[in-house]
Amino acid sequence: MAETRHNADDGHYDEDTLRTDFRHYHRMNRMRGWAIVCDTERQLLTREIDIVTTRWATAPSPWKDHWDHLVTVAADWETDPQSMQHRLDRIASDYERSGTTDLASPIQIRNLLLAGELVESRRIDLGIAYDPYTPDRVDQTYGYLTSYRTAGNTTMWESLPSWSTARRWLRARAGDTDPRAFVDVTVTGPDPVTGAATRPLMTGTGLTAAELTDQLHRIDELLGTTPIPADPSAHSWLDELRYDVLCDAYRATLLEHRNPWSIGRRYEHHLHADDLRTEITDHTSRAGLHTAAPQPDGDEVPDLVEARLDDIRRSIGEHGPDWTIAPRASTWLDDAVTDAQRRLADMTTHGLALTYTDPTQPNQLTAIGFDGDRWYLQHAQTATDGRTITYDTPPRTYRTCNELLAAATAPDVATPQSPNPVTVPETIRQRLHELDNDLHALRHDLTCVRQLRDAVRTGTPYTLRRDHHPAVSSTRIPRHSGLSRDANHLNLTETPDSEKPTPAPEPTKPPRAKRRQQPKPGRQHRRRL
């Protein structure tokens, strides 16, 4: 809803008038810089600017101070947007943590938000001002310009409706290519203001088709954009439920996009909204939910899905900014980073504790594994009663799994009673290598999703590289249990047992041994079995 400007000499001072006049002042200053075609226009603009500035320069306290603060922070947003973004993030973090902040007063915070919006959202066309609270172009389907080229062949180009669709298209092209062939790819997203495909999102040069497929699949898993399920359910009510969840997520993303606190993060919500919109249309098309019944008079059949999405956008666009909305410094990309950190922390904390014996001396034991942040090795022996364990050496620690396995058979770490090295059983080696691969893959995932977030946030392309391919790992991105409101985590855990499809048999795998607290170095440790 447009704000009403008061007459310059009506003596009316309040926060709405302050914001309205500053928008007008900011728009005219921008126009004066490059949209002037004659001296008469320049004089008219200068006169209008002088009227507004004079009014607030002579305003009673505290309105003159509020105006001066707005002018100052707008200039700061122009000259040093990163510092201003950091300042705003600190304020948002304070609110999230304690519900208040000492860094600025409420009206100063709203001034920061307004000035940031005006600087971030200005148009670059014929001086037409951009009002960030009118329905934005985020609801439109822009082209994500995507290219795919193999050695010796012409480049294939495609304009696609979302970033996730572009990645899926690249995977399909790679699937039709020799896995060993080298390929070059690019994905360029739409500018949120002009709609032109000018914002680089992703690039890759000199990858094999197989490497490209693997990396894009992992990125889809990390960002949660893999369609789940890909095909319609055997029960129509599950398809309807997933449709409702996706629409709720779409509405929530548009609300986040319009949140006054989303300065500097708005493009991330733009990407997510486009991904959700294409996922909605793809899901409803597969499930047969996208059209109404044919009309008896032969009129065009309405698209119920597009009508619902239009209603969502219209309902959000009818309202102005909500200055009381709770701040949130993070976005869906930050959430993806947090999930990757949690998975790595869980596996690191869980650790691995294994024990094996010397075949020639069954009373000689070796404890080996990973404990938090170290690979360790320790020798022990059982007493004659077969129940008491005495550790002969303090635990030795190693930086890597390979160093651990090399040391496990070295004579200098053999037990005093058995000076000859003992071969590490193959099953123990396999378990240790599996954990090492999983930890390596999770660290790679965390690096990958951080780089993706930072690339989108800074406007630079994320680069797919050959040396970024993770080790082979049994780790998979876990899905939440229960019926989540996150559309990508919808599952059947609340489905009646009689209606659930029969799950595919899972491969058997020995359970991971529970973590065991190791004794302190230098102490004899006895334990009764």
Side-chain angles (χ1 to χ4, degrees):
M1 182 179 296
E3 300 179 45
T4 303
R5 294 190 64 239
H6 292 271
N7 189 282
D9 57 0
D10 64 1
H12 184 88
Y13 297 101
D14 59 25
E15 193 172 342
D16 287 339
T17 308
L18 177 73
R19 287 198 296 266
T20 302
D21 279 2
F22 191 79
R23 289 182 190 279
H24 186 56
Y25 164 82
H26 189 271
R27 180 187 307 123
M28 290 186 297
N29 265 317
R30 298 299 303 175
M31 292 177 66
R32 186 169 62 173
W34 47 265
I36 303 300
V37 296
C38 64
D39 289 340
T40 302
E41 278 192 354
R42 181 176 288 104
Q43 292 172 1
L44 289 174
L45 274 175
T46 301
R47 178 177 178 274
E48 185 73 14
I49 291 171
D50 289 342
I51 290 174
V52 176
T53 54
T54 300
R55 179 190 181 204
W56 290 97
T58 58
S61 180
W63 298 109
K64 178 183 181 301
D65 298 333
H66 293 327
W67 177 267
D68 292 342
H69 181 254
L70 256 176
V71 173
T72 301
V73 295
D76 291 343
W77 274 110
E78 289 276 8
T79 57
D80 194 359
Q82 290 185 347
S83 294
M84 295 300 287
Q85 183 71 62
H86 179 65
R87 180 181 176 186
L88 195 62
D89 289 344
R90 287 175 57 203
I91 293 173
S93 297
D94 281 355
Y95 269 104
E96 288 181 327
R97 183 172 56 254
S98 62
T100 186
T101 183
D102 296 329
L103 299 176
S105 67
I107 192 170
Q108 288 176 332
I109 293 172
R110 292 189 287 272
N111 285 348
L112 281 170
L113 295 173
L114 173 62
E117 288 282 5
L118 292 174
V119 173
E120 178 189 53
S121 310
R122 63 175 182 267
R123 285 189 181 275
I124 58 173
D125 50 18
L126 300 177
I128 300 174
Y130 169 62
D131 182 354
Y133 299 114
T134 56
D136 190 51
R137 294 295 295 274
V138 70
D139 60 335
Q140 301 296 324
T141 302
Y142 290 144
Y144 289 72
L145 194 60
T146 309
S147 71
Y148 180 87
R149 183 174 68 86
T150 56
N153 294 328
T154 58
T155 303
M156 290 185 284
W157 296 89
E158 191 73 22
S159 181
L160 297 156
S162 70
W163 190 19
S164 60
T165 309
R167 297 194 301 271
R168 204 153 48 236
W169 182 81
L170 289 174
R171 287 171 58 189
R173 301 289 74 76
D176 296 335
T177 307
D178 183 345
R180 297 166 295 178
F182 292 102
V183 300
D184 301 334
V185 300
T186 62
V187 180
T188 304
D191 184 271
V193 176
T194 65
T198 57
R199 183 133 178 173
L201 290 175
M202 185 175 285
T203 183
T205 303
L207 295 91
T208 66
E211 291 168 338
L212 175 64
T213 300
D214 291 343
Q215 291 192 47
L216 291 179
H217 176 73
R218 195 64 174 181
I219 288 172
D220 277 350
E221 287 188 326
L222 290 170
L223 297 183
T225 52
T226 304
I228 305 169
D231 295 318
S233 168
H235 309 285
S236 60
W237 65 269
L238 281 175
D239 293 328
E240 292 282 358
L241 178 60
R242 178 167 173 77
Y243 174 41
D244 290 340
V245 171
L246 286 168
C247 287
D248 287 348
Y250 183 65
R251 176 188 294 276
T253 301
L254 293 185
L255 287 172
E256 286 288 344
H257 180 271
R258 294 175 62 82
N259 186 336
W261 291 86
S262 294
I263 298 170
R265 308 287 188 265
R266 212 170 298 281
Y267 191 68
E268 298 169 42
H269 299 305
H270 176 92
L271 292 175
H272 200 201
D274 281 348
D275 282 352
L276 286 168
R277 185 179 183 279
T278 54
E279 188 171 353
I280 289 171
T281 56
D282 178 71
H283 169 69
T284 52
S285 176
R286 290 173 182 272
L289 305 174
H290 61 295
T291 57
Q295 302 295 310
D297 53 4
D299 292 342
E300 183 178 353
V301 178
D303 191 324
L304 299 182
V305 174
E306 286 297 336
R308 181 170 179 178
L309 296 180
D310 287 341
D311 288 341
I312 292 174
R313 293 189 288 265
R314 190 179 303 110
S315 65
I316 294 174
E318 289 174 352
H319 304 286
D322 183 1
W323 297 100
T324 65
I325 195 168
R328 184 169 183 258
S330 60
T331 69
W332 65 286
L333 289 175
D334 293 305
D335 294 341
V337 171
T338 301
D339 286 344
Q341 290 173 327
R342 175 184 51 78
R343 288 190 294 270
L344 177 59
D346 288 347
M347 182 164 288
T348 301
T349 302
H350 187 270
L352 180 65
L354 303 171
T355 303
Y356 61 93
T357 61
D358 182 350
T360 62
Q361 301 185 65
N363 67 319
Q364 302 299 319
L365 304 178
T366 300
I368 192 170
F370 181 80
D371 188 18
D373 58 354
R374 61 176 187 167
W375 299 90
Y376 69 87
L377 177 70
Q378 189 173 24
H379 292 291
Q381 59 179 308
T382 58
T384 55
D385 60 3
R387 303 178 62 189
T388 303
I389 296 179
T390 302
Y391 287 91
D392 299 315
T393 64
R396 299 194 180 192
T397 60
Y398 305 90
R399 293 183 298 113
T400 67
C401 179
N402 288 335
E403 288 181 4
L404 170 69
L405 290 174
T409 55
D412 62 325
V413 297
T415 64
Q417 291 76 13
S418 179
N420 297 320
V422 179
T423 302
V424 180
E426 184 60 32
T427 55
I428 300 293
R429 286 180 173 273
Q430 182 179 355
R431 294 287 300 279
L432 292 171
H433 280 305
E434 284 180 358
L435 177 64
D436 189 35
N437 288 338
D438 288 348
L439 288 171
H440 178 74
L442 289 176
R443 293 188 187 104
H444 175 273
D445 287 348
L446 180 57
T447 300
C448 172
V449 74
R450 277 176 173 165
Q451 291 176 346
L452 278 167
R453 178 197 60 187
D454 295 343
V456 170
R457 196 159 286 176
T458 58
T460 57
Y462 173 79
T463 303
L464 300 163
R465 296 186 178 92
R466 298 199 67 185
D467 58 348
H468 276 202
H469 189 70
V472 177
S473 169
S474 59
T475 305
R476 292 294 179 265
I477 306 301
R479 299 296 172 186
H480 294 294
S481 60
L483 181 58
S484 170
R485 296 307 292 175
D486 183 344
N488 289 321
H489 297 153
L490 182 63
N491 55 48
L492 306 179
T493 57
E494 293 196 0
T495 306
D497 292 338
S498 60
E499 298 183 8
K500 290 182 182 178
T502 302
E506 297 194 5
T508 58
K509 182 178 178 181
R512 186 185 296 277
K514 293 185 177 181
R515 179 182 174 186
R516 177 173 58 82
Q517 184 67 34
Q518 296 300 316
K520 294 182 179 180
R523 294 182 57 188
Q524 291 293 316
H525 179 70
R526 296 179 179 274
R527 179 166 62 88
R528 302 290 294 181
L529 293 177

